[in-house]
């Protein structure tokens, strides 16, 4: 005997309340970005004559900080408005590029300008992607109990 699709299922009526686990990509992408960033920062310091100890710790600290910031931004991005999300990605990119340019013994003005330019490019790109590929219309409220 077949039943109608609108017939409620028997058994459990409450939604599941267990916490979602982290997918492999939710931590693999930030770790990869952080490792590449830390290695590149270490490489820049080595070319400027830094000692091996300073070079190692600076690369490790920058890798951990960038990976942590990328992980946190990836976890909370779906709760942000598209404009705020694009600004967060732009700010993170601008700070990361500005730091790398600053390690090359260039002026503060040059590293700030290049970081700002790359961050603005990231902001425009992510803003375009979020507004053209996501449904931002308000969802109608469901009537429960009436």
């Amino acid at each position: 005997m077949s039943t109608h699709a609108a017939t409620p299922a028997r058994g459990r009526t409450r939604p599941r309340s267990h916490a979602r686990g982290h997918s492999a990509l939710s931590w693999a992408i930030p770790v990869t970005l952080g490792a590449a960033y830390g290695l590149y920062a270490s490489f820049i310091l080595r070319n400027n004559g830094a000692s091996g100890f300073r070079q190692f710790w600076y690369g490790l600290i920058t890798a951990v900080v960038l990976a942590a910031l990328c992980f946190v931004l990836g976890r909370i991005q779906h709760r942000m408005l598209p404009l705020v999300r694009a600004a967060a990605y732009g700010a993170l990119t601008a700070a990361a590029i500005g730091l790398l340019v600053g390690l090359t013994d260039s002026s503060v003005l040059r590293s700030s300008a290049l970081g700002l330019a790359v961050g603005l490019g990231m902001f425009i790109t992510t803003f375009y992607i979020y507004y053209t590929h996501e449904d931002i219309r308000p969802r109608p409220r469901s009537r429960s109990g009436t």
Side-chain angles (χ1 to χ4, degrees), residues 98-117:
L99 178 69
L100 286 180
V101 174
L103 289 176
T104 62
D105 290 335
S106 61
S107 69
V108 173
L109 184 61
R110 180 172 183 233
S111 61
S112 299
L114 192 57
L116 184 63

mmCIF file of all heavy atoms in Angstrom, residues 98-117:
data_model
loop_
_atom_site.group_PDB
_atom_site.id
_atom_site.type_symbol
_atom_site.label_atom_id
_atom_site.label_comp_id
_atom_site.label_asym_id
_atom_site.label_seq_id
_atom_site.Cartn_x
_atom_site.Cartn_y
_atom_site.Cartn_z
ATOM 1 N N GLY A 98 50.295 42.697 2.146
ATOM 2 C CA GLY A 98 51.039 43.821 2.708
ATOM 3 C C GLY A 98 52.178 43.365 3.605
ATOM 4 O O GLY A 98 53.275 43.943 3.579
ATOM 5 N N LEU A 99 51.955 42.312 4.384
ATOM 6 C CA LEU A 99 53.021 41.792 5.238
ATOM 7 C C LEU A 99 54.154 41.203 4.409
ATOM 8 O O LEU A 99 55.328 41.437 4.691
ATOM 9 C CB LEU A 99 52.479 40.740 6.198
ATOM 10 C CG LEU A 99 53.524 40.094 7.108
ATOM 11 C CD1 LEU A 99 54.045 41.103 8.125
ATOM 12 C CD2 LEU A 99 52.974 38.881 7.788
ATOM 13 N N LEU A 100 53.812 40.439 3.380
ATOM 14 C CA LEU A 100 54.855 39.845 2.538
ATOM 15 C C LEU A 100 55.676 40.907 1.818
ATOM 16 O O LEU A 100 56.904 40.797 1.734
ATOM 17 C CB LEU A 100 54.248 38.885 1.518
ATOM 18 C CG LEU A 100 53.763 37.554 2.045
ATOM 19 C CD1 LEU A 100 53.180 36.726 0.905
ATOM 20 C CD2 LEU A 100 54.885 36.791 2.723
ATOM 21 N N VAL A 101 55.030 41.936 1.313
ATOM 22 C CA VAL A 101 55.767 43.011 0.641
ATOM 23 C C VAL A 101 56.607 43.774 1.654
ATOM 24 O O VAL A 101 57.733 44.179 1.367
ATOM 25 C CB VAL A 101 54.795 43.947 -0.122
ATOM 26 C CG1 VAL A 101 55.529 45.140 -0.705
ATOM 27 C CG2 VAL A 101 54.100 43.179 -1.226
ATOM 28 N N GLY A 102 56.103 43.947 2.856
ATOM 29 C CA GLY A 102 56.863 44.628 3.898
ATOM 30 C C GLY A 102 58.117 43.874 4.314
ATOM 31 O O GLY A 102 59.093 44.480 4.777
ATOM 32 N N LEU A 103 58.122 42.553 4.154
ATOM 33 C CA LEU A 103 59.310 41.765 4.497
ATOM 34 C C LEU A 103 60.457 41.968 3.513
ATOM 35 O O LEU A 103 61.590 41.605 3.806
ATOM 36 C CB LEU A 103 58.964 40.271 4.542
ATOM 37 C CG LEU A 103 58.095 39.808 5.702
ATOM 38 C CD1 LEU A 103 57.773 38.333 5.549
ATOM 39 C CD2 LEU A 103 58.795 40.063 7.018
ATOM 40 N N THR A 104 60.178 42.532 2.341
ATOM 41 C CA THR A 104 61.219 42.708 1.320
ATOM 42 C C THR A 104 61.995 43.997 1.498
ATOM 43 O O THR A 104 62.684 44.423 0.581
ATOM 44 C CB THR A 104 60.585 42.691 -0.085
ATOM 45 O OG1 THR A 104 59.677 43.780 -0.199
ATOM 46 C CG2 THR A 104 59.878 41.389 -0.354
ATOM 47 N N ASP A 105 61.909 44.624 2.637
ATOM 48 C CA ASP A 105 62.582 45.892 2.935
ATOM 49 C C ASP A 105 62.139 47.026 2.028
ATOM 50 O O ASP A 105 62.908 47.931 1.734
ATOM 51 C CB ASP A 105 64.113 45.736 2.873
ATOM 52 C CG ASP A 105 64.649 44.901 4.008
ATOM 53 O OD1 ASP A 105 63.975 44.843 5.064
ATOM 54 O OD2 ASP A 105 65.720 44.291 3.847
ATOM 55 N N SER A 106 60.909 46.980 1.569
ATOM 56 C CA SER A 106 60.375 48.096 0.794
ATOM 57 C C SER A 106 59.708 49.076 1.756
ATOM 58 O O SER A 106 59.559 48.797 2.943
ATOM 59 C CB SER A 106 59.386 47.598 -0.259
ATOM 60 O OG SER A 106 58.309 46.952 0.372
ATOM 61 N N SER A 107 59.292 50.205 1.230
ATOM 62 C CA SER A 107 58.721 51.233 2.099
ATOM 63 C C SER A 107 57.326 50.817 2.585
ATOM 64 O O SER A 107 56.675 49.959 2.000
ATOM 65 C CB SER A 107 58.617 52.559 1.336
ATOM 66 O OG SER A 107 57.643 52.464 0.323
ATOM 67 N N VAL A 108 56.917 51.456 3.652
ATOM 68 C CA VAL A 108 55.601 51.189 4.207
ATOM 69 C C VAL A 108 54.524 51.621 3.217
ATOM 70 O O VAL A 108 53.494 50.947 3.069
ATOM 71 C CB VAL A 108 55.422 51.921 5.559
ATOM 72 C CG1 VAL A 108 54.016 51.797 6.073
ATOM 73 C CG2 VAL A 108 56.406 51.409 6.573
ATOM 74 N N LEU A 109 54.777 52.699 2.507
ATOM 75 C CA LEU A 109 53.808 53.181 1.529
ATOM 76 C C LEU A 109 53.623 52.174 0.393
ATOM 77 O O LEU A 109 52.502 51.896 -0.031
ATOM 78 C CB LEU A 109 54.261 54.533 0.975
ATOM 79 C CG LEU A 109 53.305 55.221 0.005
ATOM 80 C CD1 LEU A 109 51.981 55.507 0.695
ATOM 81 C CD2 LEU A 109 53.919 56.497 -0.522
ATOM 82 N N ARG A 110 54.727 51.587 -0.075
ATOM 83 C CA ARG A 110 54.632 50.607 -1.166
ATOM 84 C C ARG A 110 53.910 49.343 -0.701
ATOM 85 O O ARG A 110 53.053 48.812 -1.412
ATOM 86 C CB ARG A 110 56.020 50.245 -1.677
ATOM 87 C CG ARG A 110 55.944 49.236 -2.792
ATOM 88 C CD ARG A 110 57.290 48.998 -3.437
ATOM 89 N NE ARG A 110 57.117 48.074 -4.545
ATOM 90 C CZ ARG A 110 57.808 46.979 -4.691
ATOM 91 N NH1 ARG A 110 58.757 46.677 -3.838
ATOM 92 N NH2 ARG A 110 57.589 46.188 -5.711
ATOM 93 N N SER A 111 54.245 48.841 0.477
ATOM 94 C CA SER A 111 53.590 47.623 0.945
ATOM 95 C C SER A 111 52.117 47.871 1.243
ATOM 96 O O SER A 111 51.267 47.017 0.969
ATOM 97 C CB SER A 111 54.299 47.057 2.179
ATOM 98 O OG SER A 111 54.278 47.973 3.240
ATOM 99 N N SER A 112 51.787 49.043 1.757
ATOM 100 C CA SER A 112 50.381 49.377 2.003
ATOM 101 C C SER A 112 49.613 49.518 0.704
ATOM 102 O O SER A 112 48.475 49.028 0.583
ATOM 103 C CB SER A 112 50.272 50.680 2.792
ATOM 104 O OG SER A 112 50.893 50.556 4.034
ATOM 105 N N ALA A 113 50.205 50.177 -0.280
ATOM 106 C CA ALA A 113 49.526 50.375 -1.560
ATOM 107 C C ALA A 113 49.319 49.054 -2.285
ATOM 108 O O ALA A 113 48.231 48.805 -2.828
ATOM 109 C CB ALA A 113 50.332 51.340 -2.434
ATOM 110 N N LEU A 114 50.326 48.201 -2.296
ATOM 111 C CA LEU A 114 50.177 46.920 -2.978
ATOM 112 C C LEU A 114 49.185 46.020 -2.247
ATOM 113 O O LEU A 114 48.366 45.348 -2.877
ATOM 114 C CB LEU A 114 51.538 46.226 -3.107
ATOM 115 C CG LEU A 114 51.578 45.027 -4.035
ATOM 116 C CD1 LEU A 114 51.115 45.400 -5.427
ATOM 117 C CD2 LEU A 114 52.969 44.466 -4.097
ATOM 118 N N GLY A 115 49.236 46.006 -0.925
ATOM 119 C CA GLY A 115 48.258 45.236 -0.158
ATOM 120 C C GLY A 115 46.850 45.736 -0.376
ATOM 121 O O GLY A 115 45.909 44.949 -0.543
ATOM 122 N N LEU A 116 46.683 47.051 -0.405
ATOM 123 C CA LEU A 116 45.365 47.631 -0.650
ATOM 124 C C LEU A 116 44.859 47.299 -2.053
ATOM 125 O O LEU A 116 43.684 46.969 -2.235
ATOM 126 C CB LEU A 116 45.403 49.150 -0.451
ATOM 127 C CG LEU A 116 44.079 49.896 -0.571
ATOM 128 C CD1 LEU A 116 43.116 49.437 0.508
ATOM 129 C CD2 LEU A 116 44.307 51.377 -0.474
ATOM 130 N N ALA A 117 45.737 47.357 -3.046
ATOM 131 C CA ALA A 117 45.335 47.058 -4.422
ATOM 132 C C ALA A 117 44.904 45.598 -4.570
ATOM 133 O O ALA A 117 43.863 45.301 -5.172
ATOM 134 C CB ALA A 117 46.477 47.375 -5.380
#
